[in-house]
Amino acid sequence: MDIKGYDMGHIDIGWCPGCGNFGILSTLKNALAELDIAPEELVVVSGIGQAAKIPHYLKCNAFNGLHGRALPAAVAIKASNPELIVIAESGDGDMYGEGGNHFISTIRRNPDMTNIVHNNMVYGLTKGQASPTSQRGFVTPVQVNGVILEPFNPIAIAVALQVSFVARAFIGDTDMTKEIIKKAISHKGYALVDIFQPCVSFNKTNTYEWFKENTYYLDDAYDPGDRIRAFEKAVETTRFPLGVIYANPDKATFEASLNVYSQDPTPVVRRKRDLAALQQVMDRKRDL
């Protein structure tokens, strides 16, 4: 697949020069191209925020919803048409803050989809408030004495809930990020990719250099199937591990567990509508 197949042409992009979102957008395009995924087979879903503008800049099917509500829409799309490749993509505030409960519920449901989170540890769209992943002591125009809360740890939450796949990347290394995204999309089940992505305008602490100095890659001997070891890695905070931290490919997907697909794999959106049967269901509900 030619990467130009995802281009929107000459469009106005609302990100600041140097923003990590540019790297994630181009890296996602390269990953999709190498996986030979056609734009018509792909749906990208987002909520609100700078990262949530990703679907505006990709030529594919897209849904841009309410703040924090990307995941339930993405799950519904996948359930109604399991043949589609579904990617939910937003920032750390949208996914882990406003959408925190949906994040937890989606891990438990395990739909076959990829969840890419642009983690810059700040709310960039609204100009610099602390986000759920902001580190202790981080000073903002609102948190003038520094953040006093423990940062939300999406990797540890995911491993604790026996997520199907979870990885962390740093967009300062686009080649490795691309390979991690490809593994996530190819994985059968819910796949979380938390990508460290500097906000060059509203986070002067967690810069490209800071992320480079405070991360390291898991080595080839690391076994992502070892859940106890994965949890140990998830709670490391002195330096953050990068790579596939945990994978459980044997977990049943949400769609496979639905009764509607137990005997017929045809996506429900393609099935013939039986209005008489629908009327019977509605009549029964009225009688309750």
Side-chain angles (χ1 to χ4, degrees):
M1 180 74 200
D2 189 337
I3 190 173
K4 294 181 180 177
Y6 307 104
D7 284 347
M8 294 293 289
H10 296 290
I11 58 173
D12 183 25
I13 292 184
W15 296 329
C16 305
C19 175
N21 286 332
F22 285 103
I24 295 178
L25 175 61
S26 62
T27 301
L28 176 62
K29 286 181 179 178
N30 279 311
L32 293 168
E34 292 186 15
L35 292 173
D36 202 26
I37 295 173
E40 59 268 26
E41 299 172 342
L42 174 68
V43 185
V44 179
V45 185
S46 69
I48 297 295
Q50 291 290 4
K53 295 175 180 175
I54 278 275
H56 304 187
Y57 309 144
L58 269 174
K59 187 177 181 181
C60 65
N61 302 293
F63 182 87
N64 189 195
L66 300 175
H67 209 352
R69 303 297 185 265
L71 288 174
V75 173
I77 291 168
K78 188 66 182 182
S80 61
N81 190 350
E83 294 179 354
L84 291 170
I85 304 295
V86 178
I87 297 175
E89 189 153 355
S90 278
D92 46 296
D94 189 58
M95 286 291 180
Y96 303 145
E98 285 80 2
N101 190 44
H102 296 303
F103 172 66
I104 291 171
S105 297
T106 304
I107 294 173
R108 296 176 61 224
R109 290 192 175 103
N110 194 37
D112 182 18
M113 55 172 279
T114 302
N115 186 187
I116 297 174
V117 181
H118 303 213
N119 187 355
N120 57 16
M121 302 180 178
V122 73
Y123 279 99
L125 183 69
T126 48
K127 298 181 170 49
Q129 300 84 7
S131 82
T133 57
S134 295
Q135 303 296 290
R136 279 180 178 270
F138 179 59
V139 176
T140 80
V142 177
Q143 290 80 21
V144 294
N145 294 318
V147 172
I148 61 174
L149 303 179
E150 185 69 22
F152 183 78
N153 187 331
I155 309 298
I157 295 291
V159 175
L161 293 173
Q162 298 209 48
V163 69
S164 187
F165 178 103
V166 59
R168 178 184 277 139
F170 166 45
I171 200 54
D173 185 343
T174 54
D175 288 340
M176 286 300 293
T177 300
K178 181 188 68 177
E179 295 306 315
I180 289 171
I181 290 176
K182 286 167 61 179
K183 288 179 181 177
I185 295 174
S186 302
H187 178 82
K188 188 74 171 177
Y190 172 79
L192 170 66
V193 183
D194 184 84
I195 302 180
F196 284 149
Q197 169 253 322
C199 174
V200 295
S201 294
F202 300 108
N203 187 342
K204 303 297 185 184
T205 300
N206 307 111
T207 62
Y208 282 96
E209 193 61 31
W210 186 92
F211 282 118
K212 186 175 181 181
E213 292 176 353
N214 288 277
T215 58
Y216 72 95
Y217 281 102
L218 298 167
D219 60 32
D220 293 339
Y222 178 76
D223 176 13
D226 184 337
R227 184 163 171 248
I228 301 299
R229 186 66 175 140
F231 196 78
E232 291 175 352
K233 290 295 175 185
V235 297
E236 287 184 4
T237 55
T238 304
R239 295 177 73 211
F240 298 96
L242 303 175
V244 179
I245 295 171
Y246 180 65
N248 176 17
D250 298 326
K251 192 173 181 179
T253 66
F254 178 65
E255 310 85 79
S257 302
L258 295 175
N259 286 337
V260 69
Y261 295 121
S262 62
Q263 296 182 353
D264 182 359
T266 305
V268 293
V269 295
R270 294 186 185 171
R271 297 184 188 183
K272 184 179 179 180
R273 295 174 184 172
D274 188 339
L275 296 180
L278 178 61
Q279 187 63 53
Q280 290 177 2
V281 172
M282 294 175 65
D283 290 342
R284 285 200 300 270
K285 295 296 182 183
R286 289 195 184 97
D287 293 338
L288 291 177

